[in-house]
Amino acid sequence: MVVIDGKRMDGHKHSYVPGEKLVISPDLRLHKGFGGDLDPITYEVLRHSLWNINEEHGITIVRVSGSPIAAFGYDFNPCIMSEEGEFVYFGPYLQFHSGMQDLNVKWILENRSVNPGIFDGDMFLSNDPWIGTCHQQDTALMCPVFVGDELFCWVGNTLHFADLGGSTPGGWSPAAMTVFDEPVPTPPVKIMERGRLRADISDVFVRRSRLPQSVALDLRAVIAGNTVAKNRILQLVERYGADTVKLAMRRIVDDSERVFLDRLSHIPDGVWRERGYLEVAYPGDRGVYQGMLTLEKQGSHLHFDNAGTDGQVGSINVTYAAWRGGILSVLNPFMGPDLLFAIGGMLRHVSFTPAPGSFTTADHPAAVCNGGGIGTEFSISLANNVLARMMYSSHDVKLRRYFTANNGISQWPVVSLNGVDQRGNPYQNMILDWYAAPVGAYSFRDGIATGGVYWGPKQIAPNVEHNEEMMPILYLYRREIANSGGAGKFVGGATVGIAFTAHGTEQILHQVATCGLTHPTSMGLFGGNPGVPNTYLFQPKAADDEPSLEAMRETAAHPDAIPRLSPKTFNLIQHPGDVYVVWASGAAGYGDPLERDLDRVQADLDEGYLTPDVARSDLGVVVEHGAVQAEATAALRKAERETRVGGEDRKGRRTDGPEAGAVGEYVALYAEGGERVQACRRCRTVLAPEEGNYKDGCRMLVKEVAAAHPLMKDPKEFIDVEMVYRQFVCPGCGGLIETEIARVGDAVLHDTQLRLR
Amino acid sequence: MKFICGIDTGGTFTDCYVQDEQGQARTYKAFTTPHDYAEGVFASLSGAAGLYGKGLRELLEGTSRFVVGTTVGTNAFLERKGARVGLLVTRGFADTLHIMRGVGRVTGVDPDATMAMETSAKPQPIIAKDDIREIDERVDSSGQILQAPTRAAVLAATEDLRRQGVTSIAVGYLWAFKNPQNEVMTKSWITEMWPDAFVSCSHEIAPKIGEYERFAATAINAYIGPVVTDYVGRVRRILRENGFSRPILVMECNGGVINEEIIENYPVLTLNSGPAGGVSGSLALARQLNIPNVITTDVGGTSFDVGLVVDGQLALTAISQIGQFEYYVPSIDVQTIGSGGGSVAYVDPARRVISVGPESAGAFPGPVCYEQGGTRPTLTDADVVLGYISPDDFLGGRKRLNRDAAYASMRELGEPLGLTPEETAAGIAQISESQMADLVRRVVISRGHDPRDFILFAYGGAGPVHAAAYGGQLGVKALIVPGGDTAAVWSAFGVATSDVKNTYEYASVFREPFDIAAINKIFATLESRASKDLRSSTDQGHVQYVRELGMRYSTQLHEVYVPVADYPATEESALKLVAAFEQAYGKIYGQEAGFREAGIEIVDFRVVGFVPAEVPAPARIKDAVAVSAVKGQRAVWFAGAYEESLVYSGAHLPVHEAVPGPAIVELATTAIVVPPKFTVTRDDWNNFIVQTVSGNGDGAKTANV
């Protein structure tokens, strides 16, 4: 473990952060396997076989568990790790578990190799967020694989269990103030001992749940998954020899490392920052809290820190494992889309410095049970933009095609339902429709409406009919929400929204525990607008009589007229006839909306993704009778650019030096003699010196935060803090360069600082 | 003379299989003609007739059974050349086919491509948003009609769509499988106004819970309907003009065949029917040889398909996939990877190793050795270099392969990695074979079976070449290359010999204690539909039924189909059903994986109605062999060195004589590679059984029963 500011990052008070070298009992013999040889054919065969083993591991979990969480949500991930906990393969399921599983193995090696010892046939279970999970529901099971008396490698998995106790069914507690209000975290315990399930430990774990049978079943599923993977690896060892298999494992990691290093070599050194906000930390709270993420690239190394993040508060916190997992959920697909989830090689060159006690790397005993819905997604949304900006700066323009702007569900819109179903049985369930969230805009094309987020590619939304069968609800609609994507040169995909009423029951008891209602959490890139915030609307029926289906549809069709819910709403009761509308937070746009191609605008209008009023307000496009008017649009856009500049002549100096590096879509470094300056790429107006903030040279337009998105409402109903939307415009040409959301008084964010050598 | 006749319209060739009363078979390959597929059918049929010294009319007048398998619908779908479809849908749910449950960009996509955001995309929609109309109607989960549609609204929407240029209508209402009345009324109004409209309703096409997969099946049906109908019409014209007057049967994705008139209403049944022919043919052979469990493997030019016969039955999957869409139509459970003879080998720049596939050189430009402009080495090139395939006897000597060109391509590929051309070729084969073995293992194990209980069939152009290598490492009882010269056109054989069959489904949730009377009534209704359809397809044999219930534990999502052993069901047989379900669930998902306390539900009803095909058994091989089977010998690469191996002509190999490896047995358009420590034995019906010398002899005995 490491020590930060005198704080021991050992997984007790502070999150566990392993050091460079693990402290492991000398009695535990590790298989290093430096012998043997590996021809390229055997390597390719083993590479494929190991991938298949990990797939079989995942399939086994789905099969045995059979729970909707595993079978629809795919809320799990299997992995293969080296003897010292380096990832060989990670699975194609929920990506944020990747930041957590290796931490468990390293902690086990450092803390369990002496007492009780690590032996063949053992498996260790853990759901401790301060060690290696994003919230207590996500339970890891790590299995050492021995060849002879040597620890050869690890297989392991993490699965979201339906209920592990605590004050709220399902574990999502909006009102938890400390971990003592939540499911009990369990540091790694040996639940399988030399091939046998320990009845005492198993009972301790199952006893805490409201759904003991389901927990027992899930436990069997994760044990079966590890057993399958372990046996198949041993078969490979038998056929090819331990040293050869180990060489293949190392080579898989080495290869992914080389690809990653090659990509990094095309990216200049620099610092990239992103800032975001979460609101209402607990019921009754009216605060807004700042989270920061800084990425520093130096040579072949990436370093992340969260300095500047506000202190832990209420129920919006996560620990180091979740914060890191959120970052890796972005790093994997953006920087290693072709590595077949062999992420270990990248991790050799990525480090993290958490700020202990901040709400994104909280200390014990902070409340962390909402980590899987709030903090992890928050970490993803910040990492999305620092990595995207870094990749944009690459000399290898191919990398600019690998990232997207922020996807939807940048805060998971919890809709947790409880009550008596249409058949008179008690139920507890969640709406999982949000897995149809949209993909953000690319640097070269539009995002994907309801495309499914990149950090959970296999996650699947249930059918409406399945939900109506499982719960006493009647949907009024499930549709793609027009105008919900962020505007931009390329727009974010449309998000998914639903409206439903209670049906076949007297009432439904609801809980809301999320953030990102009062301001967008899917921030855009290079002037692109953010996606729509999470939207919760609730219209109680007017009279005692249940309104007709037509009347409820009519209500749902006019969202502006429906009262809003707080992001932390407790025990909301819905009767038949009450209309509940929820839209998942949307996907962000890319680039200046005034540069949007008119054919694309016409297509969006034709398909109903865009309405003429928003085409005008957000894209500067004039539409008449459904048709884009090119000439009128050109005039309107020209006028808007002039308005942005403010009519003043602030053009300033222009540079004519050669481009020496891309700061972003609209700002570059230009060489001037021995010096470099940052200037607008459109008109060459000089904005800042080389390491200054280009925004200092921009004209800053400050608007109410509601201006960030056409579907936004005034946030003051739920927060006291004033939020603003800042647009940074080139004073030379009126082109939009970047936007940001901030609390009034927060400094202008310095998002990109290249350090060319 | 009575013939049976099967046509398989594939991507490159239209294969014809004809068998006479004595079981003597002839096959003919003609080119597929995409501008008018019926032309290829005509050519292939005429060619086959010629082999019997007959004219087309003479052949057809003597034909008792004619079956056609077609990829016309599949191609129209994949190339987006179907009809312009209008969709009427429940108000609020117009976007169902666009949302695709949020998985449209990853469904059926290789795992390594799911993370590559740059190229990730949803499939192009088959119905434009502008061609979708929402109708005010609603049924709830109990089947109660909350709102009935009005005639005026339906007619206005239909007229509107028609004016826009729509030529085919799909109707998808929520819960229509539970209570179809709103869809039924809607369809009647549409056909009243527009009598020749092609209307597909979701409760007819796919009566199951889950609106996305149900609407998708309905929309796809509407989309390919007019194209398939046109094709069937053209084939019918050829046949009728040439004297064939019996029902024309069409291959379905469920492994059966059915009357063309039913296909005209349910064209979606022809999607994914390509691999079904081969699997269905395997079932026929498995029955003849009395083998209960078979793994079918088909290695073609671009893909490797794996299917299963378990306990003498074809495994059906409830959900089918095509082009990133998922839809409800029961089809033969076939898993595919892009690994075949045309798979391209390349050096992965990142890893500096050889990788193979999934990209295929296809038929054009094809492998390097074809000399049609292909420059990148393929598995077929490796086969030529290794001596597996004779460069002189390819396609019966009609095409010469250039081994030198293949060899040079291996040198070029392997040299930077320090590999000789032979090592490179052997590596390509080994990599492909290990991927094939991995897929087989995954298919068998993930369905709860043990490979050791199976015999593996290997067919398709490249199946017999690699079977010993990919099958040998699985621990199966034996490998069989079925049908001798038929192995390379095994799909056409399957098409010709499949049972008349169709599946009928109904979905409704029943909880314990089960309402036995209601369950029996549902089966009776499904059977009367089955009987009518099947009788229109054949006047021979008795209609038989397999009745299945889709059951699950209440809180779990996995549905398992359990055969209903006693029918009509009684209270007592219901108990047996529950026990059978629990046993089946345990077998697939592991003992103790069930959650009995939660209760058990019946969610789906399925009747598979079938009339066994009356097909003469293949002719027994005559023992007397006039010609020597040994054609010569050549150097074949096994385990790191060339070994001089005898080359046999499969058609002349004596039966029951185990030929030891290393050896090559040449068949029409393919070859069986017999490595050292393997033997191959020809049985009485022209099947070739490959076994390890130290292997379990039971397999051979079973296969020869």
Coordinates of all heavy atoms in Angstrom, one line a residue, chain A residues 439-471:
Chain A
V439 N -25.4 7.0 -27.2 CA -24.0 7.3 -27.4 C -23.8 8.7 -27.8 O -24.6 9.3 -28.6 CB -23.4 6.3 -28.5 CG1 -22.0 6.7 -28.7 CG2 -23.6 4.9 -28.1
G440 N -22.8 9.4 -27.2 CA -22.5 10.8 -27.5 C -21.9 11.0 -28.9 O -21.5 10.0 -29.6
A441 N -21.8 12.2 -29.3 CA -21.3 12.6 -30.7 C -19.8 12.2 -30.8 O -19.1 12.1 -29.8 CB -21.5 14.0 -30.9
Y442 N -19.5 11.9 -32.0 CA -18.1 11.6 -32.4 C -17.4 12.9 -32.9 O -18.1 13.9 -33.2 CB -18.0 10.5 -33.4 CG -18.4 9.1 -33.0 CD1 -19.8 8.8 -32.8 CD2 -17.5 8.1 -32.8 CE1 -20.2 7.5 -32.5 CE2 -17.9 6.8 -32.5 CZ -19.3 6.6 -32.3 OH -19.7 5.3 -31.9
S443 N -16.1 12.8 -33.2 CA -15.5 14.0 -33.8 C -15.8 14.0 -35.3 O -15.4 14.9 -36.0 CB -14.0 13.9 -33.6 OG -13.4 12.8 -34.3
F444 N -16.4 12.9 -35.8 CA -16.6 12.9 -37.3 C -18.0 12.4 -37.7 O -18.3 12.3 -38.8 CB -15.6 11.9 -37.9 CG -15.7 10.5 -37.5 CD1 -16.4 9.5 -38.3 CD2 -15.2 10.1 -36.2 CE1 -16.5 8.2 -37.8 CE2 -15.3 8.8 -35.8 CZ -16.0 7.8 -36.6
R445 N -18.9 12.1 -36.7 CA -20.2 11.7 -37.0 C -21.1 11.9 -35.8 O -20.6 12.1 -34.7 CB -20.3 10.3 -37.5 CG -19.9 9.2 -36.5 CD -20.4 7.8 -36.9 NE -19.7 6.7 -36.2 CZ -20.3 5.6 -35.7 NH1 -21.6 5.5 -35.8 NH2 -19.6 4.7 -35.2
D446 N -22.4 11.7 -36.0 CA -23.3 11.9 -34.9 C -23.3 10.7 -33.9 O -22.8 9.6 -34.3 CB -24.8 12.0 -35.4 CG -25.0 13.4 -36.1 OD1 -24.2 14.3 -35.8 OD2 -26.0 13.5 -36.8
G447 N -23.7 11.0 -32.7 CA -23.8 9.9 -31.7 C -24.9 8.9 -32.1 O -25.6 9.1 -33.2
I448 N -25.2 7.9 -31.3 CA -26.2 6.9 -31.7 C -27.3 6.9 -30.7 O -27.2 6.8 -29.5 CB -25.5 5.5 -31.6 CG1 -24.2 5.5 -32.5 CG2 -26.5 4.4 -32.0 CD1 -23.4 4.2 -32.3
A449 N -28.5 7.2 -31.3 CA -29.7 7.2 -30.5 C -29.9 5.9 -29.8 O -29.8 4.8 -30.5 CB -30.9 7.6 -31.3
T450 N -30.2 5.9 -28.5 CA -30.5 4.6 -27.8 C -29.6 3.5 -28.2 O -30.0 2.4 -28.4 CB -32.0 4.2 -27.9 OG1 -32.3 4.0 -29.3 CG2 -32.9 5.2 -27.3
G451 N -28.3 3.8 -28.3 CA -27.3 2.9 -28.8 C -26.7 2.0 -27.7 O -26.0 1.0 -28.0
G452 N -26.9 2.3 -26.4 CA -26.3 1.5 -25.4 C -24.9 2.1 -25.1 O -24.1 2.3 -26.0
V453 N -24.6 2.4 -23.8 CA -23.3 3.1 -23.5 C -22.1 2.2 -23.7 O -22.2 1.0 -23.6 CB -23.3 3.5 -22.0 CG1 -24.4 4.6 -21.8 CG2 -23.6 2.4 -21.0
Y454 N -21.0 2.9 -24.0 CA -19.8 2.1 -24.3 C -19.2 1.4 -23.1 O -18.5 0.4 -23.3 CB -18.7 3.0 -25.0 CG -18.2 4.2 -24.1 CD1 -17.5 4.0 -23.0 CD2 -18.6 5.5 -24.4 CE1 -17.0 5.0 -22.2 CE2 -18.1 6.5 -23.7 CZ -17.4 6.3 -22.5 OH -17.0 7.3 -21.8
W455 N -19.6 1.8 -21.9 CA -19.0 1.1 -20.8 C -19.8 0.0 -20.3 O -19.5 -0.7 -19.3 CB -18.7 2.1 -19.6 CG -19.9 3.1 -19.3 CD1 -20.1 4.3 -19.8 CD2 -20.9 2.8 -18.4 NE1 -21.2 4.8 -19.3 CE2 -21.7 4.0 -18.4 CE3 -21.2 1.8 -17.5 CZ2 -22.9 4.1 -17.6 CZ3 -22.4 1.9 -16.7 CH2 -23.2 3.0 -16.8
G456 N -20.9 -0.4 -21.0 CA -21.6 -1.6 -20.7 C -22.3 -2.1 -22.0 O -23.5 -2.1 -22.2
P457 N -21.4 -2.5 -22.9 CA -21.9 -2.8 -24.3 C -23.0 -3.9 -24.3 O -23.8 -4.0 -25.2 CB -20.7 -3.3 -25.1 CG -19.6 -3.6 -24.0 CD -20.0 -2.8 -22.8
K458 N -22.9 -4.9 -23.4 CA -23.9 -6.0 -23.5 C -25.2 -5.8 -22.7 O -26.1 -6.6 -22.8 CB -23.2 -7.3 -22.9 CG -22.1 -7.8 -23.8 CD -22.1 -9.3 -23.8 CE -21.2 -9.8 -24.9 NZ -21.3 -11.3 -25.0
Q459 N -25.2 -4.7 -21.9 CA -26.4 -4.5 -21.1 C -27.6 -4.3 -21.9 O -27.6 -3.6 -22.9 CB -26.2 -3.3 -20.2 CG -25.5 -3.5 -18.9 CD -24.1 -4.2 -19.0 OE1 -23.4 -4.0 -20.0 NE2 -23.7 -4.9 -17.9
I460 N -28.7 -4.9 -21.5 CA -29.9 -4.9 -22.4 C -31.2 -4.4 -21.6 O -31.3 -4.8 -20.5 CB -30.1 -6.3 -23.0 CG1 -31.3 -6.3 -24.0 CG2 -30.4 -7.4 -21.9 CD1 -31.3 -7.6 -24.8
A461 N -31.9 -3.5 -22.3 CA -33.2 -3.0 -21.6 C -34.3 -4.1 -21.7 O -34.4 -4.7 -22.8 CB -33.6 -1.7 -22.3
P462 N -35.0 -4.3 -20.7 CA -36.1 -5.2 -20.7 C -37.2 -4.7 -21.7 O -37.3 -3.5 -22.0 CB -36.7 -5.3 -19.3 CG -35.7 -4.5 -18.5 CD -34.9 -3.7 -19.3
N463 N -38.0 -5.7 -22.2 CA -39.2 -5.3 -23.0 C -40.2 -4.6 -22.1 O -40.2 -4.9 -20.9 CB -39.8 -6.5 -23.7 CG -39.2 -6.9 -25.0 OD1 -39.1 -6.0 -25.9 ND2 -38.6 -8.1 -25.1
V464 N -41.0 -3.7 -22.7 CA -42.1 -3.1 -21.9 C -43.0 -4.2 -21.4 O -43.5 -4.2 -20.2 CB -42.9 -2.1 -22.8 CG1 -44.2 -1.8 -22.2 CG2 -42.1 -0.9 -23.1
E465 N -43.3 -5.2 -22.2 CA -44.2 -6.3 -21.8 C -43.6 -7.1 -20.6 O -44.3 -7.5 -19.7 CB -44.5 -7.2 -23.0 CG -45.4 -6.6 -24.0 CD -45.7 -7.4 -25.2 OE1 -45.0 -8.4 -25.4 OE2 -46.5 -7.0 -26.0
H466 N -42.3 -7.3 -20.6 CA -41.6 -7.9 -19.5 C -41.8 -7.1 -18.2 O -42.1 -7.7 -17.1 CB -40.2 -8.2 -19.7 CG -39.9 -9.3 -20.7 ND1 -39.2 -9.2 -21.8 CD2 -40.3 -10.6 -20.6 CE1 -39.1 -10.4 -22.4 NE2 -39.8 -11.3 -21.7
N467 N -41.6 -5.8 -18.3 CA -41.8 -5.0 -17.1 C -43.2 -5.0 -16.6 O -43.5 -5.0 -15.4 CB -41.3 -3.5 -17.4 CG -39.8 -3.4 -17.3 OD1 -39.1 -4.3 -16.7 ND2 -39.2 -2.3 -17.7
E468 N -44.2 -4.9 -17.6 CA -45.6 -4.9 -17.2 C -46.0 -6.2 -16.6 O -47.0 -6.3 -15.8 CB -46.5 -4.5 -18.4 CG -46.3 -3.1 -18.8 CD -47.3 -2.6 -19.8 OE1 -48.0 -3.4 -20.4 OE2 -47.4 -1.4 -20.1
E469 N -45.3 -7.3 -17.0 CA -45.6 -8.6 -16.4 C -45.0 -8.8 -15.0 O -45.7 -9.3 -14.1 CB -44.9 -9.7 -17.3 CG -45.0 -11.1 -16.8 CD -46.4 -11.7 -16.9 OE1 -47.2 -11.2 -17.8 OE2 -46.7 -12.6 -16.2
M470 N -43.8 -8.2 -14.8 CA -43.2 -8.3 -13.5 C -43.7 -7.3 -12.4 O -43.5 -7.5 -11.2 CB -41.7 -8.1 -13.6 CG -41.0 -9.3 -14.3 SD -39.2 -9.1 -14.2 CE -38.8 -7.8 -15.3
M471 N -44.2 -6.2 -12.9 CA -44.6 -5.1 -12.0 C -46.0 -4.6 -12.3 O -46.4 -4.7 -13.5 CB -43.6 -3.9 -12.1 CG -42.2 -4.3 -11.6 SD -41.0 -2.9 -11.9 CE -40.4 -3.2 -13.5

